[in-house]
Amino acid sequence: MKNDLPAVPGPSDAPASSLNKAPAVAISLCMIVKDEESCLPACLESAKGLANQIVVVDTGSRDHTPDIATRYGAEVYHMEWRNDFSAARNESLRHAKGDWILILDADETLANWPAAEVRQTLASTSAEAFLIPVESVADAASCSSMLHSSVRFFRNRPQYRFVGDLHEQIIPSILGAGLGGFEFAPWRVRHFGYQRDVVRSKGKIDRNIGILHKVVRDNPFDAFARYNLGVEYFRSGQKELALAQFQRAFSLLADIRASFASMVVWYIIQTLISLRREEEALSVLRDAREAFPDYTDLIYLTGLIEFERGAYSSAVSEFMQCLEQGESSPRHLTVPGVGTYRALWQLGRCQEKLGNSAAAVEAYVHALRQDRAFGPAAGSLAGLLLRDPGTDPAEAWNVLRNASDWQEPAVVAQLLGVFEQVGQVAVMMGDLEGWASRQTDPWALYLWAEALLAVGDYSRCIGVVKDHSGKFGSWAPRALGARFLAAFLLQDVGEMQATLQDAGWSGPGGAGRTSDAGREGHKSGGDGGVSIGGEGAPALLPYQALLLGVAEKPQGAPGDGLPPLERWYGQLSEEQRQQLLEGLWPVLEALLRIHAADGFAQAYAVWEFVGGRNPQAQLRMGKLFLTNGLPELGVEHLSSLPADVLDADALGMLASLALERHDAETAVAFLNGALKKDPKNPARYTVLAKALRLLGREADARGLIQQGIAVCGPRPEFEAAVWYRA
């Protein structure tokens, strides 16, 4: 009989005695895998004591995946991969013997699944299947994740089979059988497969796009396939192609009540925002909020657009509405916290912009009460406290320790970044020292190396990265980045070379040549660090340039008389030169952030040599100086540029600096320029109006607000300026 199966223990073969009193409901965990040795143990550990049977269909692993599955008591079957996920899924179902089937991928784990409670629910339900909340963790550093409900738990019936080559579905067969309905489950699955580093390492996007192109070609009116193709384009950064597929998918929907209709709308809005087409996004949002009144994310997205436009009072109204409505219905694709802690965090950011520091602190603290591990709120609270010149950094650290779960890596990353900016990481080190000594988490190990770099303990930073080599996982590129910067700041050419070699450098002979291990590119980590490895190519160009900038040409060495950097740079293609210039930015930002003045001067010289005199590069550098508290250098860079090069943000920064120096005339000139370049931004009108009033130009200020209303429409910001009616 199906339910005669014992519960499968973990590798230790320990009996699952805690489940003896649970109802006799047998559960089969069914999986398909390929080359998953890095994540499969965590997945199977999370299912210990719950699954009576584990069925694993391996589609061609070349690593130890089948052996790991066997150690966990799984029945392992082998199947040739045919670019058809449903075929592989259905093969796993064919071997299932339990009353219920649980579907997991190797890059997923179960979160809060008490076995006795689960079995009790299964024994008493009349449902045929459960919709399980699946949280896809996109970027742990910024606490970025998405939550959607998916049918992962259903009765074991021969007529329940998957359909679809990719993003396979079980719902059609369950609905077609007509034996019963669905229920929402309180348990959760956490999915890690679409974190940036994992996606890159496995080539998932390219694989998925290839499969979906075939599906769309064979079924051009399949709205779900077009939606999924749009998602893959979106993930790959091809936003225009993504938007076309999302819009086509929406036009093909037979009913707005389709299970994925709100997902299509969410992605259309997100894509428009990423393309800087905010007015179109707002237009879609107005209609979508009527169609999906229980979708809090739509209110939240409206608030984000208003915030980015500088319409802070309008944004406050939207985020307050989020809090009144609460989290989105589980039937929608949602960002966790949009109706609770995340909305409170955004509310605090708005209050900061409006000058209401006390209200901002209250919002941040309230957000942390709801989720003490929500790093962005902890970081914002730290920034607000430390910007007050009367705050003792040690006292601020004590407040933050009490307000947040400061030992969570997501919180440590945010706090470390803020304390770096004010040069006060030292006040954290006593606590971080003990914390780091207990860590095995790769992200935490990297953060400890970053902290050592920030306090100038360069030799120890290098030692930590070398001592834990092989333990950093997807954080290895950033750990190597910290090690390289530490060696650079020590002027240790040998260690710089060794770091590059560990990152895949093939030696100094070629222009930008790297091994396969280093071809992924360079990016800035979500924690503010630098990476050797990442998106784009080649990865090591900026580091080679810094190395050559430090290294001296040996006395009497043969050559053409050119310095090493200049000779090497002459061998690069134009594309490589652009990649090199772009790759230097995260390094420059990191050196400014940790106040490494001498190291920054050297890196700046390299940046200037490789193209820093370009007007757009000068603009970017000037803004970088201004945002890092170096106004003189920022003004120096920006004031030398032609007026047509300066963008609205740069002009706004210069205006703010002029107002701080009580030079309203200069501020007005800059603000007029910003308004001309950005005429649909409500904040441009209100800030300029305030500056005009400082000069006693009341009539001009009133006329400007009226102009803003004519261009942008009625806004809370304009209504707040009641004086304009006088």
Side-chain angles (χ1 to χ4, degrees):
M1 294 177 65
K2 290 190 296 185
N3 60 6
D4 288 338
L5 297 167
V8 176
S12 63
D13 292 330
S17 58
S18 62
L19 303 182
N20 289 341
K21 296 181 181 180
V25 176
I27 298 169
S28 293
L29 170 60
C30 293
M31 306 177 64
I32 59 175
V33 299
K34 179 181 178 181
D35 294 334
E36 301 285 6
E37 65 178 10
S38 64
C39 55
L40 184 59
C43 174
L44 296 179
E45 278 290 327
S46 73
K48 280 172 58 176
L50 179 70
N52 302 83
Q53 177 194 25
I54 301 174
V55 176
V56 170
V57 171
D58 188 281
T59 60
S61 291
R62 293 165 295 180
D63 62 7
H64 296 96
T65 294
D67 298 333
I68 293 170
T70 300
R71 288 207 306 270
Y72 276 85
E75 302 170 17
V76 179
Y77 301 92
H78 297 274
M79 176 183 180
E80 182 181 353
W81 177 243
R82 303 197 298 265
N83 277 340
D84 186 335
F85 279 85
S86 286
R89 291 279 186 216
N90 292 333
E91 175 64 15
S92 73
L93 301 189
R94 194 169 67 84
H95 300 282
K97 300 173 184 176
D99 302 290
W100 286 78
I101 291 173
L102 172 63
I103 300 295
L104 278 182
D105 287 333
D107 51 17
E108 296 175 334
T109 60
L110 299 177
N112 188 29
W113 285 63
E117 177 188 312
V118 172
R119 282 185 163 77
Q120 186 66 56
T121 301
L122 297 180
S124 60
T125 186
S126 61
E128 286 294 297
F130 283 92
L131 286 152
I132 307 294
V134 180
E135 182 181 6
S136 295
V137 182
D139 184 5
S142 61
C143 297
S144 174
S145 62
M146 294 298 302
L147 197 63
H148 72 283
S149 294
S150 175
V151 174
R152 298 299 195 88
F153 219 176
F154 50 90
R155 294 183 188 272
N156 186 4
R157 299 189 188 279
Q159 59 266 55
Y160 292 170
R161 290 297 183 263
F162 286 91
V163 294
D165 294 355
L166 181 68
H167 299 292
E168 61 282 6
Q169 296 286 295
I170 195 73
I171 291 178
S173 66
I174 297 176
L175 289 175
L179 298 176
F182 304 85
E183 288 183 9
F184 284 101
W187 319 300
R188 183 173 293 193
V189 169
R190 300 198 81 204
H191 172 230
F192 300 94
Y194 280 105
Q195 292 186 62
R196 288 182 302 233
D197 294 319
V198 178
V199 170
R200 277 198 305 272
S201 66
K202 302 182 76 170
K204 283 187 174 182
I205 291 177
D206 290 342
R207 176 203 67 190
N208 292 354
I209 288 176
I211 295 173
L212 286 166
H213 269 303
K214 178 181 181 299
V215 175
V216 169
R217 185 172 60 250
D218 295 342
N219 304 278
F221 302 109
D222 186 335
F224 188 64
R226 288 191 177 276
Y227 157 72
N228 285 313
L229 180 56
V231 171
E232 300 303 335
Y233 278 138
F234 186 90
R235 286 177 177 144
S236 68
Q238 302 177 78
K239 301 299 173 62
E240 294 285 0
L241 291 175
L243 182 61
Q245 292 299 329
F246 292 139
Q247 291 173 330
R248 180 61 174 146
F250 186 81
S251 71
L252 290 171
L253 287 173
D255 193 326
I256 196 67
R257 292 170 295 181
S259 60
F260 63 98
S262 62
M263 298 182 187
V264 177
V265 171
W266 187 90
Y267 268 108
I268 288 173
I269 296 162
Q270 286 283 16
T271 309
L272 288 169
I273 291 172
S274 68
L275 292 170
R276 305 298 301 271
R277 291 159 61 173
E278 290 88 354
E279 291 297 331
E280 291 178 66
L282 286 171
S283 177
V284 175
L285 277 163
R286 283 190 287 271
D287 293 337
R289 287 171 67 166
E290 289 187 19
F292 306 107
D294 58 349
Y295 201 178
T296 309
D297 290 69
L298 302 178
I299 309 170
Y300 186 84
L301 287 171
T302 306
L304 288 184
I305 294 174
E306 298 290 20
F307 182 91
E308 292 302 322
R309 286 153 54 105
Y312 305 119
S313 296
S314 297
V316 165
S317 299
E318 300 296 343
F319 294 128
M320 288 296 293
Q321 190 174 341
C322 288
L323 294 170
E324 292 169 8
Q325 182 157 308
E327 300 287 15
S328 291
S329 165
R331 71 191 182 100
H332 299 301
L333 177 70
T334 182
V335 175
V338 293
T340 51
Y341 58 88
R342 201 175 291 268
L344 282 163
W345 169 54
Q346 295 291 358
L347 191 60
R349 295 178 70 216
C350 293
Q351 297 293 2
E352 271 200 78
K353 292 291 187 180
L354 292 168
N356 303 326
S357 296
V361 168
E362 182 180 359
Y364 295 145
V365 170
H366 195 180
L368 288 168
R369 284 177 185 153
Q370 295 193 6
D371 185 351
R372 288 172 56 83
F374 184 51
S380 292
L381 179 58
L384 188 56
L385 294 175
L386 291 171
R387 279 194 295 275
D388 183 346
T391 299
D392 175 18
E395 184 179 327
W397 170 241
N398 192 48
V399 169
L400 292 160
R401 287 175 76 255
N402 291 326
S404 65
D405 189 356
W406 71 269
Q407 298 186 67
E408 278 293 315
V411 177
V412 174
Q414 293 282 342
L415 296 181
L416 180 60
V418 176
F419 277 84
E420 279 179 343
Q421 289 177 341
V422 295
Q424 295 292 339
V425 174
V427 304
M428 305 171 63
M429 293 301 283
D431 289 306
L432 289 183
E433 180 89 43
W435 170 77
S437 67
R438 303 187 298 271
Q439 294 301 319
T440 57
D441 180 88
W443 186 12
L445 293 173
Y446 158 67
L447 289 171
W448 176 233
E450 177 79 10
L452 291 167
L453 180 68
V455 296
D457 198 344
Y458 305 135
S459 296
R460 197 171 173 202
C461 171
I462 292 169
V464 165
V465 178
K466 293 170 74 171
D467 290 345
H468 293 89
S469 177
K471 300 178 183 177
F472 288 100
S474 63
W475 293 91
R478 271 159 280 196
L480 287 169
R483 175 182 163 191
F484 182 91
L485 284 188
F488 173 69
L489 293 167
L490 286 172
Q491 302 288 281
D492 187 338
V493 173
E495 184 59 41
M496 292 167 70
Q497 290 177 325
T499 305
L500 293 185
Q501 287 165 353
D502 286 349
W505 186 43
S506 58
R513 191 174 69 205
T514 65
S515 71
D516 289 342
R519 293 187 187 278
E520 291 277 8
H522 178 289
K523 78 179 187 66
S524 174
D527 52 277
V530 296
S531 301
I532 300 182
E535 299 163 0
L540 305 179
L541 285 171
Y543 302 99
Q544 288 177 268
L546 292 173
L547 172 61
L548 293 169
V550 169
E552 295 181 0
K553 182 180 177 181
Q555 194 70 25
D560 52 15
L562 293 174
L565 176 61
E566 188 173 337
R567 184 168 57 253
W568 173 81
Y569 184 72
Q571 301 172 25
L572 299 182
S573 67
E574 185 57 37
E575 181 183 5
Q576 287 174 316
R577 292 179 180 185
Q578 290 300 316
Q579 292 167 336
L580 166 58
L581 182 60
E582 186 63 28
L584 281 170
W585 285 108
V587 178
L588 292 163
E589 291 167 358
L591 291 168
L592 273 182
R593 191 179 63 253
I594 62 174
H595 307 278
D598 291 342
F600 179 83
Q602 279 196 302
Y604 180 88
V606 173
W607 169 82
E608 207 169 27
F609 170 74
V610 302
R613 298 187 186 280
N614 175 283
Q616 289 299 322
Q618 287 286 335
L619 172 65
R620 189 170 176 180
M621 181 60 76
K623 292 161 72 172
L624 180 62
F625 281 134
L626 288 177
T627 55
N628 281 274
L630 297 169
E632 289 79 11
L633 290 172
V635 171
E636 179 183 334
H637 278 74
L638 296 179
S639 62
S640 64
L641 294 172
D644 62 328
V645 174
L646 295 174
D647 60 18
D649 289 337
L651 290 165
M653 289 179 181
L654 290 171
S656 297
L657 186 60
L659 288 172
E660 288 176 13
R661 295 173 175 176
H662 307 290
D663 185 356
E665 287 282 3
T666 301
V668 165
F670 286 134
L671 290 168
N672 269 315
L675 181 60
K676 289 178 181 177
K677 291 177 181 285
D678 190 14
K680 293 188 177 181
N681 188 329
R684 304 293 180 200
Y685 295 92
T686 56
V687 175
L688 178 53
K690 289 177 183 177
L692 290 169
R693 293 190 78 202
L694 286 175
L695 293 173
R697 295 167 57 181
E698 293 282 344
D700 290 340
R702 286 196 296 272
L704 186 68
I705 292 296
Q706 290 167 343
Q707 179 186 343
I709 294 172
V711 173
C712 303
R715 316 283 304 182
E717 285 77 4
F718 300 147
E719 289 301 312
V722 292
W723 47 265
Y724 85 89
R725 299 191 186 92

